[in-house]
């Protein structure tokens, strides 16, 4: 098992775990940089589900991939890597339809998604 790949996957898993935990605890703060408001139980539930629950699930999948539990490494990291690159692609499409935005948060997260997605694909 490649130690650098395992460490890279584990670091990205920790990022997902942190994001997911933060979303569960403080959904409004997580989306505030995007000028979104978590003003209703429905909106907070959606943020907790999509950013929180999904983020923690991705952390678990990547944790298992870092250890190559059941031989899932390649499939897991390709799937999560492509999902992250797809998110970055969605930001590019948004740029085609919307006006220009400042670097943070959109382009900052675009870079994170592109970098981590590519890193996972390299680790596959």
């Amino acid at each position: 098992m490649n130690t650098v790949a395992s460490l890279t996957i584990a670091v990205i898993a920790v990022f997902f775990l942190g994001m997911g935990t933060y979303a569960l605890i403080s959904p409004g703060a997580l989306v505030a940089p995007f000028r979104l408001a978590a003003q209703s139980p429905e909106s907070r539930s959606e943020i907790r589900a999509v950013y929180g629950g999904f983020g923690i699930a991705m952390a678990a999948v990547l944790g298992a991939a870092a250890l190559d539990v059941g031989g899932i490494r390649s499939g897991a990291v390709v799937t999560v890597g492509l999902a992250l690159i797809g998110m970055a692609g969605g930001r590019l499409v948004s740029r085609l339809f919307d006006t220009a935005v400042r670097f943070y948060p959109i382009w900052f997260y675009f870079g994170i998604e592109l970098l981590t997605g590519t890193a996972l694909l390299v680790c596959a």
Side-chain angles (χ1 to χ4, degrees), residues 62-82:
L62 290 174
L67 299 172
D68 202 18
V69 173
I72 69 163
R73 172 175 282 182
S74 182
V77 298
V78 166
T79 300
V80 177
L82 289 175

Side-chain angles (χ1 to χ4, degrees), residues 17 34 37 45 67 69 74 79 88 94 109-110 117 119 121:
L17 180 62
F34 298 94
S45 175
L67 299 172
V69 173
S74 182
T79 300
S94 186
Y109 285 104
F110 168 83
L121 293 179

Side-chain angles (χ1 to χ4, degrees), residues 53-120:
F54 185 77
I56 289 173
M58 291 301 97
V61 166
L62 290 174
L67 299 172
D68 202 18
V69 173
I72 69 163
R73 172 175 282 182
S74 182
V77 298
V78 166
T79 300
V80 177
L82 289 175
L84 286 163
I85 290 170
M87 292 168 66
R91 294 185 194 280
L92 288 176
V93 170
S94 186
R95 178 59 185 100
L96 294 174
F97 292 102
D98 293 329
T99 59
V101 295
R102 61 191 189 278
F103 176 77
Y104 185 84
I106 302 300
W107 295 115
F108 173 79
Y109 285 104
F110 168 83
I112 296 289
E113 292 155 359
L114 193 60
L115 178 68
T116 56
T118 301
L120 288 173

Side-chain angles (χ1 to χ4, degrees), residues 4-16 59 62-63 65-67 120:
V4 173
S6 295
L7 182 60
T8 300
I9 296 166
V11 166
I12 296 169
V14 168
F15 173 78
F16 270 106
L62 290 174
L67 299 172
L120 288 173

